[in-house]
Amino acid sequence: MANPVYRIIDANFNRAREALRVIEDFCRFSLNSAPLTTCAKQLRHELSAAIGKLDVAQLIAARDSLGDVGAGRTVDNQLQRSDLRDCFTAGCKRLTESLRTLTEMTQTLNPEVAQTIEKLRFSAYTLEKDIVLFSDTAEKFKSVKLYVIISSSLPADVFSLTCQCLAGGADCIQLRAKGVDDDKLFALALEFVKVCKDAGVLSIINDRVDSAVAAGADGVHLGQDDLPVDQARKLQLSPLIIGRSTHSLDQLRATCDQLPTYVSLGPVFSTLTKPTAEPVGLDYVKQATEILAPTGIAHVAIGGITLDNVEDVLKAGAKTIAVCSAVTEASDPTAACRALKEKITTFG
């Protein structure tokens, strides 16, 4: 009779590889994320390499699919899946369960292999976390077309502009309140988040991860000199949309490695909001959106964009447009938002 240890290893090795395929396909076809797809694929190859150090011929010889007493046995709702996300979640559970069993069983044959598989189990937990955090925030952000930045620390101005932008169809609003004491910023952010949440619109806080988390904002936007994306993630209490500014292809590539939810591309044109910033032009928008296409990372074109030039930015490949003064300094911010939103939607 075949060694039952080999039968258990063979069954769980197959189960783990099948689960990794589901995870890999979720990253590839649902998230369109080459980096996460590569991570899942790498994990599958490392597992195969580890098992390859055992006697593979004995593994195959021990297999008895027809005589397996567990074949065909099911429990209620075992294969019930409501959507693709359910399939992914089930795959993650199967993967870590299988890896744990493989660690226990291979320990009796080859402790070195067991140690490798145990490390892969913890890599699987990390991969699941990375995918969940990325997919949750990507799903929230994917419908954003018009992103408005309110650059003020005066509560009356912030709430007046926020309400007008909400009425005009803004999909996401960022609060950029520079030089405000922490207690005042928190109070301002708390009320700003509530107004946005009540309207079903995403709320983003500029620079301050602590204030964004404490106020319950949907996300935070980080500049190149702010906290790194991976460090910002350590502070989140729930999946946090994380955006990062980029002004060059080198910055873009470095930022992509950190898997933010989105990157801003700009300033596209010269802007009074940041008068010393050198415009990156439409070529950067075109090149950046091509680089971002296989990553699953969203983008926001920003800087000097108005109703008159927004179509040029859209033609360069931008899907989401961020504006500040074009709306906040307009005589009628609601009308300005509405006109921009209509132009973006029509173009799309």
Side-chain angles (χ1 to χ4, degrees):
M1 184 176 179
N3 186 339
V5 170
Y6 280 100
R7 290 186 68 191
I8 295 171
I9 291 174
D10 179 59
N12 281 279
F13 176 44
N14 291 333
R15 187 178 294 125
R17 284 188 302 141
E18 291 159 3
L20 276 165
R21 268 296 184 186
V22 172
I23 295 168
E24 184 180 330
D25 285 347
F26 178 78
C27 295
R28 178 182 176 185
F29 298 111
S30 178
L31 301 183
N32 194 42
S33 173
L36 289 173
T37 301
T38 299
C39 287
K41 187 173 186 177
Q42 181 65 28
L43 188 55
R44 182 163 51 83
H45 284 300
E46 289 179 9
L47 175 60
S48 295
I51 296 298
K53 293 180 180 179
L54 302 177
D55 189 331
V56 178
Q58 283 201 58
L59 284 178
I60 296 296
R63 185 180 301 169
D64 184 11
S65 301
L66 295 177
D68 186 349
V69 297
R73 294 181 179 274
T74 61
V75 295
D76 291 344
N77 302 322
Q78 180 178 339
L79 292 176
Q80 202 169 63
R81 307 282 185 265
S82 60
D83 54 27
L84 185 57
R85 184 58 178 265
D86 273 359
C87 295
F88 160 74
T89 302
C92 289
K93 291 177 179 177
R94 286 200 309 279
L95 173 61
T96 51
E97 289 168 357
S98 299
L99 291 176
R100 179 63 191 187
T101 302
L102 285 171
T103 299
E104 299 280 356
M105 294 299 112
T106 54
Q107 183 68 38
T108 68
L109 302 176
N110 189 323
E112 182 183 342
V113 170
Q115 188 175 28
T116 299
I117 294 175
E118 181 68 355
K119 290 178 180 177
L120 293 180
R121 182 166 68 92
F122 281 91
S123 294
Y125 287 132
T126 300
L127 178 60
E128 179 183 11
K129 177 183 176 180
D130 290 343
I131 294 170
V132 168
L133 293 179
F134 184 79
S135 62
D136 280 5
T137 55
E139 181 66 25
K140 281 186 178 181
F141 198 80
K142 72 177 184 179
S143 61
V144 175
K145 299 184 185 307
L146 178 61
Y147 183 132
V148 179
I149 300 165
I150 296 176
S151 188
S152 175
S153 58
L154 300 175
D157 288 348
V158 169
F159 298 127
S160 173
L161 287 168
T162 298
C163 290
Q164 291 180 79
C165 292
L166 292 173
D171 304 300
C172 178
I173 302 178
Q174 179 190 134
L175 174 62
R176 181 192 283 163
K178 299 285 189 178
V180 183
D181 292 339
D182 286 1
D183 58 342
K184 293 180 180 178
L185 176 59
F186 172 67
L188 185 60
L190 197 64
E191 189 60 30
F192 166 75
V193 168
K194 182 181 184 304
V195 171
C196 290
K197 194 180 295 291
D198 289 345
V201 168
L202 296 179
S203 58
I204 306 291
I205 305 298
N206 183 259
D207 292 348
R208 297 290 298 271
V209 184
D210 54 348
S211 295
V213 172
D218 292 299
V220 64
H221 184 85
L222 305 170
Q224 281 292 313
D225 297 325
D226 292 328
L227 205 62
V229 173
D230 57 346
Q231 294 302 312
R233 281 204 180 93
K234 292 180 180 179
L235 301 178
Q236 64 189 356
L237 301 178
S238 60
L240 189 69
I241 292 171
I242 301 178
R244 193 167 188 87
S245 299
T246 67
H247 316 295
S248 69
L249 292 178
D250 286 342
Q251 289 181 357
L252 178 70
R253 292 190 178 98
T255 299
C256 284
D257 291 339
Q258 301 174 48
L259 281 181
T261 311
Y262 73 90
V263 294
S264 69
L265 313 173
V268 182
F269 308 111
S270 58
T271 170
L272 294 177
T273 305
K274 293 189 176 181
T276 61
E278 188 72 23
V280 297
L282 294 171
D283 282 344
Y284 178 57
V285 175
K286 184 176 186 300
Q287 292 174 312
T289 52
E290 289 172 352
I291 290 172
L292 290 167
T295 68
I297 299 170
H299 65 267
V300 176
I302 186 173
I305 301 174
T306 65
L307 189 63
D308 294 329
N309 62 27
V310 68
E311 195 164 326
D312 293 332
V313 184
L314 294 168
K315 286 178 180 176
K319 303 296 183 186
T320 303
I321 301 295
V323 293
C324 183
S325 57
V327 166
T328 60
E329 294 182 13
S331 58
D332 187 343
T334 297
C337 270
R338 191 173 290 127
L340 278 164
K341 180 70 173 288
E342 183 178 352
K343 207 156 196 177
I344 297 168
T345 304
T346 302
F347 184 89

